Structures are given as structure tokens and as C-alpha cells.
């Protein structure tokens, strides 16, 4: 199925949706059934967060395998009376969450798709203990290769890890979407058995005059759901897209629903330079300009009268004949200036 | 009327030289049309260059006609008579040239039509279009009205002239015979136009200033930009009149009509405007310096000590201080001194427009590096062609119409009622 056919199919599907349940599912029918699933594990970890550091230490390191689903549960462990939030971020993966007196637990979920060292840090520079929350490192290493005898020459190659088949990808919106009001877009990924696929980044797009524009991205949580907050700036019918770009062991998938955004219920802030009095100001300026042009018209009417005036003799005694006409210039005395000019 | 009847070889050589420069400018513009604005020095950050500086400069010069002719006519300043025609012609020529620059500044000139079809009244660009077209129309009417008796005079008195001249003068004279009714209508027309053209002219340069002042950019957002621009415009307008007067006086031997007194009067007016411009300049920069926000300081340091300091100090010293000294000191207040001062003013005020437009554009509003701008040969060629075109139009005009108003000078010399007769005595021309 070509991309155009798929888009058309999506459009037809999306058009049939009601606002009450604007949800769209896309299954990747192109993927073959895999013979084996990727050998990954879920890493469920819990850490205490306080002004003294992660688990009350400044330096902390854990190791996970590439492809692992990492779920880090952060529990706030201070007794502050006031607010002292810590925005904890996994650098390189872009996943973050906030814990503090008001929200004492948060879970960061991501799939360890890249090998290397990734710091987990607090991004709130004003919090108490900020400097102690900079030393947590996650090492992502490639899985150990199986040991054993080397394959004999001529033996068939080992099969590569198969991709996860039949991803079910869905995007859902609230029942009513209005211009200027924040909404939560949710994208969900499940495998063919209905198991959530967690920890991968989902990127959201919308169409614009200049083509697709990225509006944000979010990581799928343990339920396979990625949530993005978004405030539509314009009313109208728009095509959205949520895309999973694929990863080792997983094919890419996307859904592209068409959503109608209703007009705002309230008047949005007016940024026009002339507030409120625009109409009357324009009318006044228009009146002034019209007056100027009316004056021009009046002067031109005087020219018309000059052109159509009767050529009777004047106080200077012209006869009106052009050939004798030095006195046709008012006030001129025979050739005073012309001699010089 | 001798210049209208006899034309020497030097005239043709002069016109040919000017036409060659204009032709080169047209070639440069064709290059810009073919290859786009990439042939200019303008880029993403500095998207306004010398074209917009030229636009402001020529619109400024166009204020010459308003001040010399309209204001002096309304106030019955009798010494104006030999210079009104020149002033009115400068206005029309400068507007015709200056109004081209916003179109030249567009990479796709046909998109100017979008301003007419889709322009929003909220935009100062649309205000500019309205005010300049209104001013150009009014200035042409105001130039034409006092020409009518003179054209009738050419029609009736020029002997052995070409057929096209005869036809032109016959059509443009509107059958003028100098009857009481015609004089009454002409007098009314000139009086009305002299009054209406003053606020129109002031509004034009105010609106031009608003193109800058209505933005939120450092160096442009200023409430005094309107009067600052108007004063600057009249300042350069007077300077242009003095230069034109000296040139035509010399070439057409008008020493009997354009006397030292005319230069002195205009020179003193120039001094007053010079002082007013110094006052506005101090206001403008002192306010910014006192506020001393980071962005203001960046811009001011670039102007005063940085890459634009040569332009800025030439404007401040060469365009304001030195001309003021030349005019204020009686020993240097000669015709030659006044012409030098006027030329300095015009060149320096061009640089002033340059340092208004370019450094602010180059000063980024985001934390990125400064924009770079240097005019290319295309921009310099078009700029040279515009100046040559302005002089060419003026030169041709002086060959078709007398550059001094015959009837006004004659009327003044006889002490007859001025402005086609309003009962005021005059006559020191």
C-alpha cells in the first residue's frame, strides 16, 4: 500500500469519526510475522530524591542493556514545608518529570535505544540541593554476544533479531477541541498481542502553510501511551500526525487523523495596534484624505474655469490676440525678465 | 527666455553624460531583476539598505517646494519670487525619483500591486502609499498653476520655435489671456494649494518616519521621529534649493534676479533648521544613552565608536557643526560658502539616513551575531542613476520652462499686488 493510498484511507477513516471519540488506529500490515521477539527486559528502578542527592548520594551509576525498557520511579524524600520541586531529566533521551512536596512521585519511562553514558540531572537551578542532583549516570551497554564455538565455514548465518510485528498505533483527542484551549493528544502503541510498547519517543505534527510542523514529542509510558499538551492557535480542519520513527527491533508506525478545531468560545486577546477605536480612527483619517483630494478637485475646477473663460480685455489692455500677447502675463511689463532669462 | 530658445553643445554633452549614468543604472536594475536581490548587499538580517536611505533622502529634498514656495507665499515673503519655481520643481522631481525606491527595493516589483489589492490600513506602508501619492499629485498641481501665465507668455512670444513646443505651450496654457476671470481663478487656485500643500507635505515625512517609529526596533522606536524627520526634510530641502539656485544663476546668468540677499535669507533659514536638527539629534541620542539598555548601548557604541562611527561623525560634524559655523560667521557667509555648506548638509544627511536604516537592521533582536551589510555595485549604480536622473529631469525642465517665474518676478519688481493680486506691496527682487 502506497503512502498516498494509506493517507487517503486514513482521511476516510478520520472523517467518519465523531468528535466524541476521535480516535484512530493504524496497524502496520507491511510487517511480516517475526519468528522471535526482541530479547529485552524491563528495568524497574526506584530512587529517592532529596536535597542530599539521589538516594542521598552525589554519585550514582546504574547499567542497563541496549533495548531495555527503563522505568525509573522517583520518590521525593525531603520534609520541606514550602515548595522545592526538582525537575529530573534524562539527558540524551529528553524524558523528564518533576517531583517535590506537591507531587511526591513520578516515573520516567524510556527505551534504552542508544548505547553510552547518559546523565540524570535536576534541571531546576533554584531548588535546594540542585548541585547534589547532578551525579546520576545511566550506562547503556550493548547486550553480551552469546559465547560458544565459532560457526564452521559454510554454515548458514545466524538469523538477525526480528522486528516486533503488527504494531497497533492509535491517537486520541478530547471530545471537544477549541481554538485557544489546551488539550492533551495521546498516542498509544501496542504489539500484536496487545502488550504496551513503552519508552519510545513519539513525535507529533500538524499541517501548516509550509507543510508538516513538529508540535512536540513525548515518551510512551508503561502503558504505551505518550501524552502531549497542545493549544490549537487556529480554528478549522487540520491533519495531525503522531509518528514512531522505529528502533532496533521495532518498525516505524504512524497515525494521521484529521481533526476539526472549533472556534474559541471567548474572544481571544486582540493584538491589533489600534484597539477598539480602529473603525473611527480609519474613518477620521479617511475623511481628512478625502478632504485633501476634494480640495484638489476644487482647484482643478478652477483650471477648468480658466480654460473656458471668456477672453475679454483686461486692465492691462490685452486684445486677447496671442501674437501681441506680452501682457498676457499678469503684471508683467514689456519684456523685463525675458531679456535676462 | 533665452535658455528656451538657444541650446549649446555643452547642454547636450551634459544631458548625454547624465543619460549615460541613468542608462548604467537601468542596466544594474535589470541585473537585479534577473538575478534577484542576491545581487545587492541585503540579506536576511539587513533587509533594508541604501534603497530605503535614498527613499528617505529624496522625500526629504521634496520638502523644498513646500517651504520656499508655499510657506513664503502664504506669509507674503516677497523675496521668494525668483526661487519659487525651482523649489516647486525640486519637489516634483524628488518625489518622482524617491517614490521609485520602495519599488526598486522589492525583488519582485510587480508585488507592489499586492499593496493596492491586499494592503491593510493598519500598515504604515499603506499610509506611506496614500500620503506620497497625495503629495505628488498636489505638488504637480502646485507646480503647474503658477506656470500657466508663463506658458501663455512662451506661447505668445517665442519666435521660431519647434512645433512640439508650440503645441505643448498651447495645450498647457489652457487658453490663458490674462482676463480678470482667469486671474481670479488662478489666484484662488494658488492660494488654496499653498495652504493645503503644507500639512500634506508635513504629513508625508511624518508618515515616512512612522515606517521606522511604529516598529519595536532599537534605534527606531521613538516618539520624536515624526518632527525629527520633518525638520531634517526641510533642512535638506533648503540646502538643495541653495545648490540649485547657485547652479542656475551661474549657467543662465540670473545674477540680476537671484541675488546675494536670496542666498543670505535661505542661508539663515538653513542655520535655524540646522540648530533645530542638532536639538532633535541630542534629544534622540541622549534619551537612548540615559536609558542605557543593553540593546541601546550596543547600537550607540556601534554608531559612535564602532563600524558606523565614520558615517555618524561625518554627519554630526560635516553636516551639522561645520555648516552652522560657515553660515554663522559673516566672513564665510558668502554665496560660495553657503553652497559649500549646503552640499555638505545634503551629503551628510544622506549618511544620516544611512545610519538610521542600516545599524538598526544589523543590530539583531535575538542573541545572534550582528548582521553585515555593504552595498554592491548594483546598489551604488542605481543610487548614482537616481541622482543623475534627478538632475536630468531638472535640466530638461529648465529647457522647457523658465526656471524663474516671469510673472511673479515682474509683478514683484513693479510693486504690484503679489500672488496674482492680493493688495500687498513688494518688490525687492
Amino acid at each position: 500500500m502506497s503512502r498516498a493510498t494509506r493517507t487517503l484511507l486514513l482521511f476516510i477513516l478520520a472523517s467518519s469519526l465523531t468528535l466524541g471519540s476521535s480516535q484512530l488506529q493504524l496497524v502496520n500490515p507491511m510487517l511480516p510475522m517475526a519468528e522471535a521477539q526482541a530479547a529485552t527486559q524491563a528495568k524497574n528502578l526506584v530512587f529517592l530524591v532529596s536535597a542530599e542527592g539521589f538516594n542521598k548520594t552525589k554519585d550514582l551509576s546504574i547499567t542497563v542493556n541496549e533495548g531495555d525498557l527503563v522505568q525509573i520511579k522517583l520518590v521525593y524524600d525531603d520534609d520541606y514545608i514550602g515548595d522545592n520541586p526538582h525537575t529530573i531529566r534524562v539527558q540524551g533521551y529528553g524524558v523528564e518529570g518533576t517531583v517535590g512536596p506537591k507531587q511526591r512521585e513520578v516515573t520516567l519511562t524510556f527505551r534504552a535505544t542508544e548505547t553510552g553514558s547518559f546523565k540524570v540531572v535536576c534541571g531546576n537551578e533554584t531548588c535546594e540541593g540542585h548541585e547534589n542532583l547532578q551525579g546520576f549516570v545511566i550506562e547503556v551497554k550493548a547486550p553480551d554476544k552469546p559465547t560458544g564455538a565459532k560457526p564452521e565455514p559454510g554454515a548458514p548465518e545466524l538469523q538477525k533479531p526480528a522486528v516486533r510485528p503488527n504494531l497497533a498505533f492509535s491517537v486520541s483527542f478530547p471530545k471537544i477541541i477549541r481554538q485557544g484551549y489546551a488539550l492533551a493528544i495521546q498516542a498509544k502503541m501496542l504489539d500484536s498481542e496487545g502488550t504496551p510498547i513503552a519508552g519510545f519517543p513519539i513525535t507529533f505534527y500538524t499541517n501548516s502553510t509550509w507543510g508538516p510542523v513538529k508540535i512536540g514529542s513525548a515518551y510512551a509510558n508503561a502503558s504505551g501511551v505518550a501524552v502531549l499538551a497542545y493549544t490549537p492557535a487556529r480554528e478549522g480542519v487540520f491533519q495531525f500526525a503522531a509518528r514512531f520513527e522505529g528502533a532496533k527491533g521495532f518498525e516505524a508506525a504512524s497515525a494521521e487523523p484529521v481533526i476539526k478545531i472549533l472556534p474559541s468560545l471567548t474572544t481571544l486577546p486582540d493584538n491589533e495596534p489600534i484597539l477598539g477605536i480602529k473603525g473611527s480612527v480609519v474613518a477620521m483619517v479617511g475623511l481628512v484624505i478625502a478632504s485633501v483630494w476634494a480640495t484638489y478637485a476644487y482647484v482643478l475646477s478652477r483650471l477648468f474655469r480658466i480654460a473656458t473663460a471668456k477672453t475679454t480685455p483686461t486692465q492691462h489692455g490685452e486684445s486677447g490676440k496671442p501674437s501681441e500677447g506680452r501682457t498676457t502675463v499678469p503684471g508683467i511689463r514689456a519684456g523685463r525678465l525675458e531679456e535676462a532669462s | 527666455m533665452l535658455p528656451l530658445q538657444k541650446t549649446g553643445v555643452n547642454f547636450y554633452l551634459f544631458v548625454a553624460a547624465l543619460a549615460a549614468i541613468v542608462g548604467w543604472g537601468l542596466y544594474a536594475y535589470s541585473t537585479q531583476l534577473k538575478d534577484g536581490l542576491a545581487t545587492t548587499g541585503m540579506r536576511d538580517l539587513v533587509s533594508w539598505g541604501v534603497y530605503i536611505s535614498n527613499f528617505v533622502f529624496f522625500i526629504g529634498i521634496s520638502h523644498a517646494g513646500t517651504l520656499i514656495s508655499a510657506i513664503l507665499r502664504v506669509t507674503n515673503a516677497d523675496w521668494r519670487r525668483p526661487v519659487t519655481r525651482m523649489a516647486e520643481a525640486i519637489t516634483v522631481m524628488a518625489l518622482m525619483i524617491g517614490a521609485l525606491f520602495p519599488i526598486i527595493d522589492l525583488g519582485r516589483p510587480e508585488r507592489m500591486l499586492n499593496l493596492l489589492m491586499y494592503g491593510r490600513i493598519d500598515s504604515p506602508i499603506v499610509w506611506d502609499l496614500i500620503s506620497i501619492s497625495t503629495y505628488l499629485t498636489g505638488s504637480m498641481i502646485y507646480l503647474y498653476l503658477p506656470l500657466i501665465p508663463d506658458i501663455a507668455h512662451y506661447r505668445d512670444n517665442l519666435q521660431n520655435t519647434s512645433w512640439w513646443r508650440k503645441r505643448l505651450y498651447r495645450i498647457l496654457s489652457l487658453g490663458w489671456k490674462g482676463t480678470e476671470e482667469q486671474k481670479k481663478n488662478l489666484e484662488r487656485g494658488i492660494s488654496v494649494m499653498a495652504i493645503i500643500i503644507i500639512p500634506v507635505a508635513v504629513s508625508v515625512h511624518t508618515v515616512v518616519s512612522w515606517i521606522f517609529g511604529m516598529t519595536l526596533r532599537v534605534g527606531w522606536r521613538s516618539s520624536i521621529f515624526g518632527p525629527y524627520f520633518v525638520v531634517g526634510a526641510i533642512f535638506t530641502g533648503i540646502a538643495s534649493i541653495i545648490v540649485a539656485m547657485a547652479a542656475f544663476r551661474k549657467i543662465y546668468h540670473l545674477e540680476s534676479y537671484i541675488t546675494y540677499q536670496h542666498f543670505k535669507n535661505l542661508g539663515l533659514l538653513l542655520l535655524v533648521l540646522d540648530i533645530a536638527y542638532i536639538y532633535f539629534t541630542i534629544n534622540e541620542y541622549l534619551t537612548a544613552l540615559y536609558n542605557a539598555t543593553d540593546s541601546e548601548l550596543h547600537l550607540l557604541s556601534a554608531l559612535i565608536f564602532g563600524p558606523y562611527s565614520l558615517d555618524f561623525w561625518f554627519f554630526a560634524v560635516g553636516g551639522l557643526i561645520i555648516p552652522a559655523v560657515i553660515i554663522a560667521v559673516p566672513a564665510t557667509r558668502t554665496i560660495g560658502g553657503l553652497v559649500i555648506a549646503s552640499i555638505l548638509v545634503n551629503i551628510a544627511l544622506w549618511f544620516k539616513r544611512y545610519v538610521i536604516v542600516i545599524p538598526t537592521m544589523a543590530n539583531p533582536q535575538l542573541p545572534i551575531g550582528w548582521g553585515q551589510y555593504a552595498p554592491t555595485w548594483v546598489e551604488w549604480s542605481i543610487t548614482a542613476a537616481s541622482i543623475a536622473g534627478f538632475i536630468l529631469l531638472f535640466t530638461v525642465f529648465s529647457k522647457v520652462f523658465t526656471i524663474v517665474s516671469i510673472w511673479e518676478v515682474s509683478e514683484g519688481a513693479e510693486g504690484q499686488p503679489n500672488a496674482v493680486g492680493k493688495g500687498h506691496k513688494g518688490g525687492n527682487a
Side-chain angles (χ1 to χ4, degrees):
Chain A
M1 188 185 297
S2 70
R3 178 180 168 77
T5 313
R6 196 177 66 181
T7 305
L8 180 64
L9 181 64
L10 283 171
F11 186 82
I12 295 167
L13 279 169
S15 304
S16 65
L17 293 173
T18 63
L19 285 173
S21 58
S22 49
Q23 188 172 40
L24 177 70
Q25 257 198 6
L26 175 69
V27 175
N28 264 345
M30 298 293 290
L31 296 176
M33 289 295 291
E35 295 176 2
Q37 294 190 344
T40 57
Q41 296 179 342
K43 296 278 186 184
N44 296 311
L45 308 161
V46 180
F47 295 97
L48 300 176
V49 180
S50 68
E52 296 171 56
F54 292 100
N55 286 349
K56 299 192 183 299
T57 175
K58 292 180 182 179
D59 300 308
L60 186 66
S61 177
I62 62 166
T63 302
V64 299
N65 288 324
E66 184 184 9
D68 282 353
L69 176 65
V70 183
Q71 289 183 298
I72 300 174
K73 185 177 180 181
L74 301 168
V75 180
Y76 187 69
D77 191 35
D78 265 335
D79 296 324
Y80 270 83
I81 297 172
D83 200 8
N84 186 38
H86 303 289
T87 303
I88 308 301
R89 183 176 299 152
V90 182
Q91 290 183 341
Y93 279 92
V95 59
E96 69 175 33
T98 301
V99 288
K102 291 180 179 174
Q103 183 178 350
R104 302 193 73 88
E105 289 185 9
V106 70
T107 302
L108 307 181
T109 306
F110 65 97
R111 182 77 60 171
T113 52
E114 301 290 332
T115 56
S117 296
F118 301 93
K119 293 184 79 174
V120 180
V121 299
C122 173
N124 181 9
E125 294 182 0
T126 59
C127 68
E128 181 74 23
H130 173 76
E131 64 282 358
N132 296 331
L133 291 165
Q134 307 295 318
F136 181 3
V137 177
I138 299 175
E139 297 282 352
V140 180
K141 66 173 187 176
D144 294 332
K145 290 179 181 175
T147 56
K150 288 183 180 178
E152 291 180 8
E157 286 185 19
L158 287 173
Q159 277 196 323
K160 293 177 181 175
V163 294
R164 188 70 64 92
N166 290 352
L167 290 180
F169 198 87
S170 65
V171 181
S172 61
F173 289 83
K175 290 180 181 177
I176 297 174
I177 304 168
R178 287 196 180 275
Q179 174 195 15
Y181 291 87
L183 59 95
I185 308 174
Q186 294 191 13
K188 187 173 186 179
M189 282 201 301
L190 303 173
D191 67 10
S192 57
E193 297 170 354
T195 307
I197 300 173
F200 289 112
I202 309 295
T203 310
F204 296 85
Y205 301 85
T206 186
N207 62 322
S208 74
T209 309
W210 301 279
V213 172
K214 180 181 172 181
I215 56 177
S217 64
Y219 277 79
N221 60 18
S223 304
V225 176
V227 183
L228 181 78
Y230 173 64
T231 305
R234 293 180 296 157
E235 62 171 297
V237 177
F238 295 90
Q239 183 167 44
F240 283 83
R243 287 182 191 150
F244 164 53
E245 301 297 342
K248 195 173 284 184
F250 294 89
E251 275 289 348
S254 68
E256 299 172 355
V258 175
I259 300 297
K260 184 178 181 183
I261 296 170
L262 300 175
S264 172
L265 286 175
T266 55
T267 306
L268 292 175
D270 188 355
N271 290 324
E272 292 291 325
I274 304 168
L275 283 173
I277 53 172
K278 183 180 172 186
S280 50
V281 168
V282 170
M284 275 169 45
V285 173
L287 193 65
V288 170
I289 295 167
S291 304
V292 172
W293 282 91
T295 308
Y296 291 174
Y298 169 77
V299 172
L300 291 176
S301 76
R302 292 281 160 177
L303 286 177
F304 179 75
R305 288 188 189 185
I306 289 171
T308 56
K310 291 177 183 176
T311 53
T312 52
T314 68
Q315 61 180 355
H316 301 294
E318 307 92 335
S319 64
K321 292 179 182 176
S323 57
E324 300 291 323
R326 283 188 170 180
T327 51
T328 53
V329 174
I332 197 167
R333 189 159 56 191
R336 276 182 58 87
L337 182 66
E338 59 203 59
E339 289 165 6
S341 64
Chain B
M1 291 196 290
L2 202 58
L4 273 53
Q5 293 172 302
K6 291 184 179 178
T7 304
V9 177
N10 288 342
F11 173 82
Y12 289 113
L13 287 174
F14 185 58
V15 167
L18 292 173
I21 299 171
V22 172
W24 177 256
L26 288 173
Y27 166 71
Y29 183 58
S30 73
T31 306
Q32 180 183 307
L33 273 182
K34 183 163 63 73
D35 298 334
L37 287 176
T39 56
T40 70
M42 293 183 283
R43 292 295 182 269
D44 53 348
L45 284 182
V46 184
S47 54
W48 282 356
V50 289
Y51 293 154
I52 300 300
S53 306
N54 292 340
F55 166 66
V56 180
F57 177 73
F58 277 107
I59 299 296
I61 286 179
S62 76
H63 277 56
T66 310
L67 183 88
I68 303 303
S69 183
I71 295 179
L72 298 185
R73 200 187 290 273
V74 168
T75 56
N76 287 311
D78 223 38
W79 59 271
R80 74 171 197 280
R81 294 173 185 278
V83 295
T84 51
R85 177 76 42 82
M86 266 180 267
E88 291 153 10
I90 282 179
T91 296
V92 174
M93 313 300 173
L95 277 176
M96 287 166 72
I97 299 289
L100 290 175
F101 274 104
I103 302 171
I104 294 171
D105 190 58
L106 294 173
R108 303 256 314 259
E110 80 278 6
R111 290 191 173 175
M112 190 71 191
L113 293 173
N114 289 352
L115 200 58
L116 300 174
M117 292 188 291
Y118 312 115
R120 293 176 52 185
I121 197 66
D122 309 34
S123 166
I125 302 279
V126 174
W127 306 345
D128 227 21
L129 182 77
I130 294 169
S131 59
I132 289 176
S133 57
T134 303
Y135 188 36
L136 181 59
T137 307
S139 298
M140 292 174 90
I141 296 171
Y142 190 53
L143 171 66
Y144 176 56
L145 285 174
L147 264 172
I148 293 172
D150 280 8
I151 294 172
H153 192 62
Y154 317 148
R155 177 198 66 197
D156 298 342
N157 294 278
L158 277 180
Q159 305 296 325
N160 302 322
T161 189
S162 58
W163 65 268
W164 68 265
R165 273 183 189 270
K166 286 177 183 170
R167 190 166 187 179
L168 181 73
Y169 295 148
R170 192 174 68 248
I171 294 169
L172 291 181
S173 63
L174 298 179
W176 177 269
K177 294 290 187 295
T179 65
E180 285 301 321
E181 185 185 355
Q182 286 179 323
K183 285 199 289 183
K184 184 181 165 192
N185 282 305
L186 185 69
E187 171 199 324
R188 180 63 65 88
I190 292 174
S191 301
V192 169
M193 284 307 299
I195 293 167
I196 196 77
I197 204 72
I198 295 170
V200 171
V202 170
S203 76
V204 167
H205 224 65
T206 306
V207 170
V208 168
S209 81
W210 285 347
I211 288 182
F212 304 99
M214 293 293 183
T215 66
L216 292 173
R217 297 202 68 134
V218 174
W220 286 355
R221 192 184 178 207
S222 166
S223 60
I224 67 162
F225 252 35
Y228 192 24
F229 270 52
V230 171
V231 167
I234 299 172
F235 188 33
T236 49
I238 294 173
S240 303
I241 284 285
I242 291 175
V243 176
M245 271 169 45
F248 284 115
R249 182 177 185 263
K250 180 85 175 171
I251 295 165
Y252 292 155
H253 305 291
L254 297 172
E255 289 84 357
S256 305
Y257 298 92
I258 302 174
T259 64
Y260 171 70
Q261 193 62 35
H262 293 103
F263 284 95
K264 184 184 171 187
N265 289 349
L266 284 174
L268 292 175
L269 266 176
L270 192 68
L271 180 61
V272 170
L273 269 298
D274 191 338
I275 293 165
Y277 203 74
I278 290 171
Y279 166 74
F280 274 111
T281 303
I282 291 170
N283 262 277
E284 172 70 5
Y285 291 114
L286 187 62
T287 311
L289 197 64
Y290 192 83
N291 288 340
T293 59
D294 283 349
S295 49
E296 292 277 13
L297 286 179
H298 278 147
L299 183 65
L300 284 175
S301 63
L303 279 177
I304 298 170
F305 309 111
Y308 304 100
S309 56
L310 203 62
D311 308 318
F312 177 81
W313 287 112
F314 174 69
F315 146 69
V317 177
L320 299 180
I321 307 298
I322 294 176
V325 172
I326 291 173
I327 302 167
V329 176
T332 52
R333 200 192 301 146
T334 60
I335 291 178
L338 290 170
V339 170
I340 290 169
S342 300
I343 291 171
L344 273 175
V345 166
N346 269 327
I347 296 173
L349 266 286
W350 185 90
F351 277 98
K352 168 61 177 169
R353 276 64 182 255
Y354 186 85
V355 297
I356 286 175
V357 176
I358 312 300
T360 291
M361 292 295 289
N363 186 10
Q365 303 293 285
L366 294 169
I368 53 177
W370 272 66
Q372 301 293 320
Y373 173 75
T376 63
W377 70 270
V378 170
E379 289 165 285
W380 285 127
S381 300
I382 291 173
T383 301
S386 67
I387 295 167
F390 174 69
I391 299 170
L392 182 61
L393 282 174
F394 218 149
T395 307
V396 172
F397 178 84
S398 74
K399 277 291 171 188
V400 181
F401 308 103
T402 49
I403 204 67
V404 172
S405 174
I406 296 173
W407 70 269
E408 285 196 272
V409 170
S410 180
E411 201 175 62
E414 292 182 8
Q416 290 201 358
N418 68 347
V420 207
K422 257 299 180 185
H424 296 279
K425 295 289 181 183
N428 61 354

